[in-house]
Amino acid sequence: MNLRRLALLLLLPVSLQASPATPDPANVLWYDAPASHWLEALPVGNGRMGAMLFGGVAKERIQFNEQTLVPGSSQTKGVEHYQPFGNIALEFPGAPETTPADYHRELDLRSAAARVSYSVDGVTHRRELVASLPANLVAMRLSASKPGRVSFTVRLSDVRKNAVTVASDSLFFAGKLTNGLAYAAALRVVAEKGSVTRTGDGLAIQGADAATLYLAAATDFAPIPAQKFRGGVSPASVVSGRIAAAPAYAELRAAQLADYQTLYGRVSLDLGTTASSSLPTDKRLAAKKARQPDPALATLLFNYGRYLLIGSSRPGGQPANLQGLWNDELYPAWFCAYTTNINVEMNYWLAEPTALSECHQPLFDWIDNLAEVQKATTDLRIQVPIGWVAYSTNNQYGGNTGWAVHMPGSAWLARHFWEHYAFTGDRAFLEKRAFPHLRDLSELWMKRLVPGPDGKLITPDGWSPEHGPVKQPDGRIVMKEGDRTPRPGASYDQQIVHDLFTNTLSASDALGSDPAFRDRVSATRANLLGPRIGRWGQIMEWMEDVDDPNNQHRHVSHLFALYPGRQISADRTPELAAAAKVSLQARGNGGTGWSRAWKIAFWARLHDGDQAERVLAGLLEPIPASGARSGRGGSYPNLFGAHPPFQMDSNFGATAGIVEMLLQSHDQTESGDYVIHLLPALPKTWPTGSAKGLRARGGFIVDQEWNEGRLVFAKITSLLGRTAVVRHGAQTHALVLAKDSSVVFSSESLRP
Ligand code: FUC
């Protein structure tokens, strides 16, 4: 291809380019049949609304969500199920009931569009579904290869069955949830040529060249300030205004692409392809299970996690919930809420290292709100003199389920504020938003800790989610699921408190604030119990050495210090790292989706890429869409993570785990420089590839290429002008880079 043609192609919007013969295996999910189940349908999202495309030939279904459609309140026992919003149903008169031979359905992650195409009687029909944040709309374009051949009926429905109003070119419904939250949705049809007429409960489009559907959905939820959740704006007028102001499809698409690609385009990963990579996505999962290598499937999962976070978490909106924001059930598992003992945190592990820092923002707003609600609580179980305490499961309002007080949860959430600073160096954020949490929660824990049996400081009522060792009448100790007995000195609490103190000390140093406070935190941290190695060489999960080597519980809370924490390090604390390995081996490679995702990161932190990749392969085991609530973790046909049931934490966690295999930056030197560790856990199955645009703490962009398992190129760009140490294998290099300058290493010897 000559350069002029290449330049022209690059300038064209992706949607206008001809589909390649084989879809890009690292960026496209594709299928040769319509979805017959929601877990086969394909998601689009704009960080407010989400929609799932089924792709039927005679009948199309688009199920949609809006992330604030939440009943419940800010009270204890205030959590209720996040609601599905509605559906769009299309019918195509005269379309065949069977799937045409050239049927193709895809989700293109580069251009953030779900598409369907097929031919009937010599006419090729195309549909493209997108979600635009600039327009705050979901839009679908239907077109045909011959003029006047786009004909269909469209209906809109509310899941709660409120009446739909039919106007000349639009459909509308409105309702209220049990908590008074008002909501509305509106759909407008714009046909090119042809006609749009009312059909009673819908609209009929006939003989058009093309048609565009614009869907708006909104509620009167207003997230901030705490407990005042009504925005006062009528959702009916909001959605009517949005569909009326909808730009032409090409314009909407250009603005959506620009908005989306600014984020998505920052990172690219290439792990190579194999013969299996060219199969449809569901068949790739099956081939992977049959041990056909397909590294590009890992790349696709990595990219999908980033796509899904961009689709469900944008500034000013709600954070990604247990299913991101995609849900079609009235009673989704665990309320489709925010669980703080792993799940909501895991949703955000990928945000900073994969350059989606902006997508982290909704979590900070949600935490601030939760903190405000909990500080004002009348619930005696979580009243504390300073700081605040979270329950295990919480909603958008700051309410909780009443199960179970999660004492170190606020400290775990506060580490996200620290991480945002560690990656971005945003000093105003550190001072105004991060430090107040870190300081108050450190004060809380300095008050709460008590001397344990050997004088070391312990939590008086710890927990290792969500089980505990219970003594039987015959003296045997068995692990009890859901046990909530207070466990003084439980490792999970100890490690999170250590992490809180470490982050607080780092923040104090960066801000140069209050040396007396800093010294108190430092002295308290030095006197904390643990981590300790037990009788079979494991990291002890509880203060007593009662761990069962056959316990394969999904939570691996006693390894928090290995990941996401940084207390246990393969380099700095090799004995503890060896014990962590013993614990991990005992827990096994299986478990729920999120449990497996966590284990990828653990093994990566232990620098065992082959083992990390084995766990990742398990996460890619196919789970049938229909068996949604049983079995073990894996991936559904649309690559949504299976707990089972569907939870999106494993998608986000898998992406974060893959990052840890390729780049780490949690360790620091004595002088506080971050260690940028290149390819710390590269598995043998990814011999050749590249990872570009990943972020390291201290404000660095890292590009890497490797060949036959060897680093052949690394480029490090400094955004903040901080010093660091670059490491690869046994080689290290002291990095002194001015702000906005780069260094290139062309071999693994790390000589620039
Ligand atoms: C925690 C986990 C469960 C589930 C729920 C949403 O309670 O123990 O496995 O993921 O969160």
Coordinates of all heavy atoms in Angstrom, one line a residue, residues 141-191:
R141 N -27.5 2.7 14.0 CA -27.8 3.0 12.6 C -28.1 1.7 11.8 O -27.3 0.7 11.9 CB -26.6 3.7 12.0 CG -26.7 3.9 10.5 CD -25.9 5.1 10.1 NE -25.9 5.3 8.7 CZ -26.7 6.1 8.1 NH1 -27.6 6.9 8.7 NH2 -26.7 6.3 6.8
L142 N -29.1 1.7 11.0 CA -29.5 0.6 10.2 C -29.4 1.0 8.7 O -29.9 2.0 8.4 CB -30.9 0.1 10.5 CG -31.2 -0.3 11.9 CD1 -31.8 0.9 12.7 CD2 -32.2 -1.5 11.9
S143 N -28.7 0.2 8.0 CA -28.5 0.5 6.6 C -28.6 -0.7 5.7 O -28.5 -1.9 6.2 CB -27.2 1.2 6.3 OG -26.1 0.4 6.7
A144 N -28.7 -0.5 4.4 CA -28.8 -1.7 3.5 C -28.0 -1.3 2.2 O -27.8 -0.1 1.9 CB -30.2 -1.9 3.1
S145 N -27.5 -2.3 1.5 CA -26.7 -2.1 0.3 C -27.4 -1.6 -0.9 O -26.9 -1.1 -1.9 CB -25.9 -3.4 0.0 OG -26.9 -4.4 -0.3
K146 N -28.8 -1.6 -0.8 CA -29.6 -1.1 -1.9 C -30.6 -0.1 -1.4 O -31.1 -0.2 -0.3 CB -30.4 -2.2 -2.6 CG -29.4 -3.1 -3.4 CD -30.2 -4.1 -4.3 CE -29.2 -5.0 -5.0 NZ -29.8 -6.3 -5.5
P147 N -30.9 1.0 -2.2 CA -31.8 2.0 -1.7 C -33.1 1.5 -1.3 O -33.6 0.6 -2.0 CB -31.8 3.0 -2.9 CG -30.8 2.6 -3.8 CD -30.4 1.2 -3.5
G148 N -33.7 2.1 -0.3 CA -35.1 1.8 0.0 C -35.4 0.5 0.6 O -36.5 0.0 0.8
R149 N -34.3 -0.2 1.1 CA -34.5 -1.6 1.6 C -34.4 -1.7 3.1 O -34.3 -2.7 3.7 CB -33.5 -2.5 1.0 CG -33.6 -2.6 -0.5 CD -34.9 -3.1 -1.0 NE -35.0 -4.5 -0.8 CZ -34.7 -5.5 -1.7 NH1 -34.3 -5.1 -2.9 NH2 -34.8 -6.7 -1.5
V150 N -34.5 -0.5 3.8 CA -34.5 -0.6 5.3 C -36.0 -0.4 5.7 O -36.6 0.7 5.6 CB -33.6 0.5 5.9 CG1 -33.8 0.6 7.4 CG2 -32.2 0.3 5.5
S151 N -36.6 -1.5 6.2 CA -38.0 -1.5 6.7 C -38.0 -2.3 8.0 O -37.5 -3.4 8.0 CB -38.9 -2.2 5.7 OG -38.9 -1.4 4.5
F152 N -38.6 -1.7 9.0 CA -38.7 -2.5 10.3 C -39.7 -1.7 11.2 O -40.1 -0.6 10.9 CB -37.4 -2.6 11.0 CG -36.8 -1.3 11.4 CD1 -36.9 -0.7 12.7 CD2 -36.0 -0.5 10.4 CE1 -36.3 0.5 13.0 CE2 -35.4 0.7 10.8 CZ -35.6 1.2 12.1
T153 N -40.2 -2.4 12.2 CA -41.0 -1.8 13.3 C -40.1 -1.7 14.5 O -39.2 -2.5 14.8 CB -42.3 -2.5 13.6 OG1 -41.9 -3.8 14.1 CG2 -43.2 -2.6 12.4
V154 N -40.4 -0.7 15.3 CA -39.6 -0.5 16.6 C -40.6 -0.2 17.7 O -41.5 0.5 17.6 CB -38.5 0.6 16.4 CG1 -39.2 1.9 16.0 CG2 -37.8 0.8 17.7
R155 N -40.3 -0.9 18.8 CA -41.1 -0.7 20.1 C -40.1 -0.4 21.2 O -38.9 -0.9 21.2 CB -41.9 -1.9 20.4 CG -43.1 -2.1 19.5 CD -43.9 -3.3 19.9 NE -44.9 -3.5 18.8 CZ -44.7 -4.0 17.6 NH1 -43.5 -4.5 17.3 NH2 -45.7 -4.1 16.8
L156 N -40.6 0.3 22.2 CA -39.7 0.6 23.4 C -40.5 0.1 24.6 O -41.8 0.2 24.6 CB -39.6 2.1 23.5 CG -38.8 2.6 24.7 CD1 -37.3 2.3 24.5 CD2 -38.9 4.2 24.7
S157 N -39.9 -0.5 25.5 CA -40.6 -1.0 26.7 C -39.8 -0.7 28.0 O -38.6 -0.8 28.0 CB -41.0 -2.5 26.6 OG -39.8 -3.2 26.5
D158 N -40.6 -0.4 29.0 CA -40.1 -0.3 30.4 C -40.1 -1.6 31.1 O -41.2 -2.3 31.0 CB -41.0 0.7 31.1 CG -40.6 1.0 32.6 OD1 -39.6 0.4 33.0 OD2 -41.3 1.7 33.3
V159 N -39.1 -2.0 31.7 CA -39.1 -3.3 32.4 C -40.2 -3.4 33.4 O -40.8 -4.5 33.7 CB -37.7 -3.6 33.1 CG1 -37.7 -4.8 34.0 CG2 -36.6 -3.7 32.0
R160 N -40.5 -2.3 34.0 CA -41.6 -2.2 35.0 C -43.0 -2.0 34.4 O -44.0 -1.7 35.1 CB -41.3 -1.2 36.1 CG -40.2 -1.6 37.1 CD -39.3 -0.5 37.5 NE -38.7 0.1 36.3 CZ -37.6 -0.3 35.8 NH1 -36.9 -1.3 36.3 NH2 -37.1 0.3 34.7
K161 N -43.0 -2.1 33.1 CA -44.3 -2.1 32.3 C -45.1 -0.8 32.4 O -46.3 -0.8 32.2 CB -45.1 -3.3 32.7 CG -44.5 -4.7 32.6 CD -45.5 -5.8 32.7 CE -44.9 -7.1 32.3 NZ -43.7 -7.6 32.8
N162 N -44.4 0.3 32.6 CA -45.2 1.6 32.5 C -45.6 1.8 31.0 O -44.9 1.3 30.1 CB -44.3 2.8 32.9 CG -44.3 2.9 34.5 OD1 -45.4 3.0 35.1 ND2 -43.2 2.7 35.1
A163 N -46.7 2.6 30.8 CA -47.2 2.8 29.4 C -46.2 3.6 28.6 O -45.4 4.4 29.1 CB -48.5 3.6 29.5
V164 N -46.2 3.2 27.3 CA -45.3 3.9 26.4 C -46.1 4.9 25.5 O -47.2 4.5 25.0 CB -44.6 2.9 25.5 CG1 -43.8 3.6 24.4 CG2 -43.7 2.0 26.3
T165 N -45.7 6.1 25.4 CA -46.3 7.1 24.6 C -45.7 7.1 23.2 O -44.5 7.1 23.0 CB -46.1 8.5 25.2 OG1 -46.4 8.5 26.6 CG2 -47.0 9.6 24.5
V166 N -46.6 7.0 22.2 CA -46.1 7.0 20.8 C -46.4 8.3 20.1 O -47.5 8.8 20.1 CB -46.8 5.9 20.0 CG1 -46.3 5.8 18.6 CG2 -46.6 4.5 20.7
A167 N -45.3 9.0 19.7 CA -45.5 10.3 18.9 C -45.1 10.0 17.5 O -44.8 8.9 17.1 CB -44.6 11.4 19.5
S168 N -45.1 11.1 16.7 CA -44.9 10.9 15.2 C -43.6 10.2 14.9 O -43.5 9.4 14.0 CB -45.0 12.2 14.5 OG -44.1 13.1 14.9
D169 N -42.5 10.5 15.6 CA -41.2 9.9 15.3 C -40.5 9.5 16.5 O -39.3 9.3 16.5 CB -40.3 10.8 14.5 CG -39.9 12.1 15.3 OD1 -40.5 12.3 16.4 OD2 -39.0 12.8 14.8
S170 N -41.2 9.4 17.7 CA -40.5 9.0 18.9 C -41.4 8.2 19.8 O -42.7 8.2 19.7 CB -40.0 10.3 19.6 OG -41.1 11.0 20.0
L171 N -40.8 7.5 20.8 CA -41.4 6.7 21.8 C -40.9 7.2 23.1 O -39.7 7.6 23.3 CB -41.1 5.2 21.6 CG -41.4 4.7 20.2 CD1 -40.8 3.3 20.0 CD2 -42.9 4.6 20.0
F172 N -41.8 7.0 24.2 CA -41.4 7.6 25.5 C -42.0 6.8 26.6 O -43.2 6.4 26.5 CB -41.8 9.1 25.5 CG -41.7 9.7 26.9 CD1 -40.5 10.3 27.2 CD2 -42.8 9.7 27.8 CE1 -40.4 10.9 28.5 CE2 -42.7 10.3 29.0 CZ -41.5 10.9 29.4
F173 N -41.3 6.6 27.7 CA -42.0 6.1 28.9 C -41.3 6.8 30.1 O -40.2 7.3 30.1 CB -42.0 4.6 29.0 CG -40.6 3.9 29.3 CD1 -40.0 4.0 30.5 CD2 -40.0 3.2 28.2 CE1 -38.8 3.3 30.7 CE2 -38.8 2.6 28.4 CZ -38.2 2.7 29.7
A174 N -42.0 6.8 31.2 CA -41.5 7.4 32.5 C -42.1 6.6 33.6 O -43.1 5.9 33.5 CB -41.9 8.8 32.6
G175 N -41.4 6.6 34.8 CA -41.9 5.9 36.0 C -41.2 6.3 37.2 O -40.4 7.3 37.2
K176 N -41.5 5.7 38.3 CA -40.9 6.0 39.6 C -40.5 4.6 40.3 O -41.3 3.7 40.2 CB -41.8 6.7 40.5 CG -41.7 8.2 40.3 CD -42.4 9.0 41.4 CE -42.1 10.5 41.1 NZ -42.7 11.4 42.0
L177 N -39.4 4.6 40.9 CA -39.0 3.4 41.7 C -39.6 3.5 43.1 O -40.1 4.6 43.5 CB -37.5 3.3 41.8 CG -36.7 3.0 40.5 CD1 -35.2 2.7 40.8 CD2 -37.3 1.9 39.7
T178 N -39.5 2.5 43.9 CA -40.1 2.4 45.2 C -39.6 3.5 46.1 O -40.2 4.0 47.0 CB -39.9 1.1 45.9 OG1 -38.5 0.8 45.7 CG2 -40.7 0.0 45.2
N179 N -38.4 4.0 45.9 CA -37.8 5.1 46.7 C -38.1 6.4 46.2 O -37.5 7.4 46.6 CB -36.3 4.9 46.8 CG -35.6 5.0 45.5 OD1 -36.2 5.0 44.4 ND2 -34.2 5.0 45.5
G180 N -39.0 6.5 45.2 CA -39.4 7.8 44.6 C -38.5 8.3 43.5 O -38.8 9.4 42.9
L181 N -37.4 7.6 43.2 CA -36.5 8.0 42.1 C -37.3 8.0 40.8 O -37.9 7.0 40.4 CB -35.4 7.0 42.0 CG -34.3 7.5 41.0 CD1 -33.3 8.4 41.7 CD2 -33.5 6.2 40.5
A182 N -37.3 9.2 40.1 CA -38.1 9.3 38.9 C -37.1 8.9 37.7 O -35.9 9.3 37.7 CB -38.6 10.7 38.7
Y183 N -37.7 8.3 36.7 CA -36.9 7.9 35.5 C -37.7 8.1 34.3 O -38.9 8.1 34.3 CB -36.3 6.5 35.7 CG -37.4 5.4 35.7 CD1 -37.8 4.8 34.5 CD2 -37.9 5.0 36.8 CE1 -38.8 3.8 34.4 CE2 -38.9 4.0 36.8 CZ -39.3 3.4 35.6 OH -40.3 2.4 35.6
A184 N -37.0 8.2 33.1 CA -37.6 8.3 31.8 C -36.7 7.8 30.8 O -35.5 7.9 30.9 CB -38.1 9.7 31.6
A185 N -37.3 7.3 29.7 CA -36.5 7.0 28.5 C -37.2 7.5 27.2 O -38.5 7.5 27.2 CB -36.3 5.5 28.4
A186 N -36.5 7.8 26.2 CA -37.1 8.3 25.0 C -36.3 7.8 23.8 O -35.0 7.7 23.9 CB -37.2 9.8 25.0
L187 N -37.0 7.4 22.8 CA -36.3 6.9 21.5 C -36.8 7.7 20.3 O -38.1 7.9 20.2 CB -36.6 5.4 21.4 CG -36.0 4.8 20.2 CD1 -35.0 3.8 20.6 CD2 -37.0 4.1 19.3
R188 N -35.9 8.2 19.5 CA -36.4 8.9 18.3 C -35.8 8.2 17.1 O -34.7 7.7 17.1 CB -35.8 10.3 18.4 CG -36.1 11.2 17.2 CD -35.7 12.6 17.4 NE -35.4 13.3 16.2 CZ -34.4 14.1 15.9 NH1 -33.5 14.3 16.9 NH2 -34.2 14.6 14.8
V189 N -36.6 8.2 16.0 CA -36.2 7.6 14.8 C -36.0 8.6 13.7 O -36.9 9.5 13.6 CB -37.3 6.6 14.3 CG1 -36.9 5.9 13.0 CG2 -37.7 5.6 15.3
V190 N -34.9 8.6 13.0 CA -34.7 9.5 11.9 C -34.4 8.6 10.7 O -33.5 7.8 10.7 CB -33.5 10.4 12.2 CG1 -33.2 11.3 10.9 CG2 -33.7 11.3 13.4
A191 N -35.4 8.7 9.7 CA -35.2 7.8 8.5 C -34.7 8.7 7.4 O -35.0 9.8 7.3 CB -36.6 7.2 8.2

